[in-house]
Amino acid sequence: MRICFVGAGYVGLVTGTCFADLGNDVICVDNNEEKINLLKNGGVPIYEPGLNEMIARNVGKNRLSFTTSITEGVEASDIIFIAVNTPPLPNGDADLSFVETVSKEIAQTMKTYKLIVEKSTVPVETGEWIKHTVQINNKHQVEFDVASNPEFLREGTAVHDIMNPDRIVIGVESARAEKILRELYTPFNAPIVMTDIKSAELIKHASNSFLATKISFINAVANICERTGADIIKVAEGMGYDTRISKSFLNAGAGFGGSCFPKDLAAFIHIAQKYGYDFKLLKEVENINNEQKKLVVTKVKKAVWILKDKKIGILGLAFKPNTDDMRRAPAIDVIEMLQSEGSVIKAFDPVAMDRAKQIFKNITFCKDPYEVAEGVDCLVIMTEWNEFKEIDLSLVKDKMANPIIIDGRNIYDPAKMKELGFVYHGIGR
Ligand code: UDX
Ligand code: UDX
């Protein structure tokens, strides 16, 4: 099938590449010239395991190409996915101005039937607005359909998630759109939830909000564990064997970040409000998440007393492992809080350092965890990269001014850390 992705970011580029790998002809459009030039020259603008090889393979087979021109993308395809970013506005609402702009541009250039699919995470009712926008800008008066097909990929495992979905959600208004999307998704061999557009839009917001609720719930329980002397790892394990609860998304820690959960929660709360429902549960999910980041700083403070002029080492900056994405990373809040009290920060992340350098001022970026450890009063683990699990902790201890570790992701065993001579505090243990 001939497919266009408008927006070649974490979602559009990876999803487009996976569709190409299944034999479709895919053209990725992005208005960021630098990004498109890089892709045209064989580079890849983001870090996502397995992506580079897949892009190279499909470009080599002439199934995947890149352009800054929407016209070119629209002419070369029958299905157009909108995958531009939908960042949060100050009031929590999603900023849909990019979605509107590209809908208009698509409408003005299309000369034959097109199926326009919203892939970006958007509030319920966006499909209707896209339809309206296309209708009033439909210069050549061609037939079209609008559909919703939310993504459920996790950064860091995006290629795997797209190729092995738990389910495919499709919201449509016509049999023609349903047929096309069913055919596109046949090779995935996954259950298809076929529904109306509004329900599909809600499935996405409700799913992300539910996962975020699970995380805040387990973080709240972790706080009880700390006060009572129970161990959150065991509590989560004991809960997780219940198939109704499941083990995933029960890792207590420094809170969730990323481009999705914080933004989607805020947008869901906002749209609920707009329709007259006060979604208090989700407001508390946000509150608990903010408290978790403060908790990390409180733990550092309790361990080193005065924060001013203390050297604090941060291991991990990305919002989760296996990505270079720094959007809404909990490390940003924690570092800012420490700096505001006068701490001196050294940091290392295996792949997110380039992006981190654009965000942080007055931080010493180090070449590895050992350089971070050199002379610091406290080490804070903010991202659970595998390579931090394997470091030589005796060497780390020798290098530190004070052997204190605050583990915001519970990657070490408290008993072992004590044996090694560390003052060690995880979350909820
Ligand atoms: C996506 C979704 O679209 C968002 O709704 C979801 O909740 C999170 O994931 P993501 O792929 O992570 O966004 O965003 P980003 O990596 O910023 O990619 C968006 C791309 O769209 C960028 O490359 C940007 O240059 C491009 N863009 C934006 C356009 O091509 N045209 C525009 O008008 C605006
Ligand atoms: C999420 C959704 O999982 C995905 O389905 C959606 O389409 C996009 O948003 P992503 O943000 O890439 O994916 O990563 P995810 O693995 O969900 O982690 C989000 C945040 O939650 C990270 O900061 C992570 O550290 C945190 N998290 C996750 C926890 O704190 N505990 C957990 O148990 C799981």
Side-chain angles (χ1 to χ4, degrees), residues 328-341:
R328 303 293 286 269
I332 299 176
D333 301 88
V334 168
I335 289 173
E336 280 174 1
M337 283 185 259
L338 291 169
Q339 283 183 326
S340 73
E341 298 218 28

Side-chain angles (χ1 to χ4, degrees), residues 121 152 167 201-219 239 242-251 256 260-266 268-269 279 281-286 288:
T121 304
F152 297 101
R167 78 317 204 172
E201 290 168 334
L202 266 176
I203 287 170
K204 174 63 200 226
H205 262 162
S207 299
N208 269 5
S209 300
F210 186 80
L211 291 170
T213 303
K214 250 187 125 173
I215 299 170
S216 278
F217 181 86
I218 204 67
N219 280 333
M239 288 168 64
D242 187 327
T243 50
R244 294 170 304 175
I245 297 172
S246 108
K247 283 183 186 166
S248 53
F249 284 72
L250 284 185
N251 294 322
F256 56 78
C260 289
F261 285 176
K263 164 177 80 70
D264 294 349
L265 263 181
F268 202 20
I269 291 169
F279 215 146
L281 173 67
L282 295 187
K283 289 180 180 169
E284 197 47 37
V285 169
E286 277 184 334
I288 293 170

Side-chain angles (χ1 to χ4, degrees), residues 306-372:
I306 307 296
L307 286 175
K308 190 169 182 307
D309 297 332
K310 290 281 159 56
K311 284 197 185 118
I312 313 290
I314 308 286
L315 293 186
L317 296 167
F319 85 97
K320 61 180 283 190
N322 300 318
T323 179
D324 60 346
D325 198 346
M326 286 296 303
R327 289 178 289 181
R328 303 293 286 269
I332 299 176
D333 301 88
V334 168
I335 289 173
E336 280 174 1
M337 283 185 259
L338 291 169
Q339 283 183 326
S340 73
E341 298 218 28
S343 299
V344 178
I345 309 291
K346 296 172 78 179
F348 169 75
D349 186 283
V351 305
M353 302 254 270
D354 284 345
R355 290 193 196 274
K357 282 174 189 167
Q358 294 160 20
I359 298 170
F360 300 112
K361 287 168 208 86
N362 305 326
I363 281 190
T364 307
F365 289 98
C366 301
K367 68 174 193 305
D368 60 30
Y370 304 103
E371 199 180 306
V372 176

Side-chain angles (χ1 to χ4, degrees), residues 7 9-11 30-31 35 84-86 98 120-121 260 263 327:
Y10 284 92
V11 171
D30 203 289
N31 66 0
K35 200 175 260 190
V84 293
N85 41 335
T86 51
F98 299 145
S120 302
T121 304
C260 289
K263 164 177 80 70
R327 289 178 289 181

